[in-house]
Amino acid sequence: LVAAFVREFEKTMKKAIDRISRQSMNTLKSYSWPGNVRELRNVIERAMILNQGSTLEIQAPQETDHLASAGDLSLEEFERKHILNVLEKTNWRIKGQSGAAEILGLKPATLYSRLKKLGIHRSSR
């Protein structure tokens, strides 16, 4: 699956990856993947966005970061926090290839609507 996602993003991002580091693969194998394939795809996409060079370095999410801190949040607060994290990672790019809407699996208009509903704007952090 990792190789398939890398090939997919190579095409869309116009990047060439010759190999994936052994450490990255070991990290991915040891992670429990509570978000399943969709979470894996997002991790690979993020790595491709941040990667420079032909060897892909991938960091799996921290187990405790995934849901431990989310237990005390309402669904709306969790959604707000997640959207803000993605916006920070994309430098507040909403539309286009590797924009926040694409990473979140939303149409840009839907993301704009959620930003308005949640009261999120660039100075929200």
Side-chain angles (χ1 to χ4, degrees), residues 32-57:
S32 66
W33 297 106
N36 298 323
V37 175
R38 186 173 183 169
E39 184 179 11
L40 174 62
R41 185 178 188 279
N42 289 338
V43 166
I44 301 302
E45 183 176 28
R46 180 177 189 278
M48 291 288 293
I49 290 167
L50 299 174
N51 195 69
Q52 296 180 0
S54 62
T55 300
L56 186 62
E57 298 291 337

Side-chain angles (χ1 to χ4, degrees), residues 55-108:
T55 300
L56 186 62
E57 298 291 337
I58 307 166
Q59 293 182 349
Q62 298 296 315
E63 296 281 349
T64 56
D65 289 348
H66 184 67
L67 289 176
S69 62
D72 298 333
L73 300 177
S74 70
L75 181 58
E76 187 172 289
E77 290 168 326
F78 182 78
E79 179 182 23
R80 186 176 198 282
K81 185 176 181 176
H82 181 60
I83 289 172
L84 280 167
N85 285 335
V86 172
L87 287 167
E88 290 293 324
K89 290 174 186 171
T90 62
N91 199 27
W92 285 79
R93 180 177 176 186
I94 292 177
K95 297 179 185 179
Q97 187 176 342
S98 303
E102 181 180 282
I103 291 170
L104 292 166
L106 301 171
K107 292 182 180 179

Side-chain angles (χ1 to χ4, degrees), residues 19-45:
R19 65 185 223 59
I20 301 166
S21 75
R22 183 180 311 268
Q23 181 180 359
S24 293
M25 289 303 292
N26 288 338
T27 299
L28 295 175
K29 288 177 186 176
S30 66
Y31 184 66
S32 66
W33 297 106
N36 298 323
V37 175
R38 186 173 183 169
E39 184 179 11
L40 174 62
R41 185 178 188 279
N42 289 338
V43 166
I44 301 302
E45 183 176 28

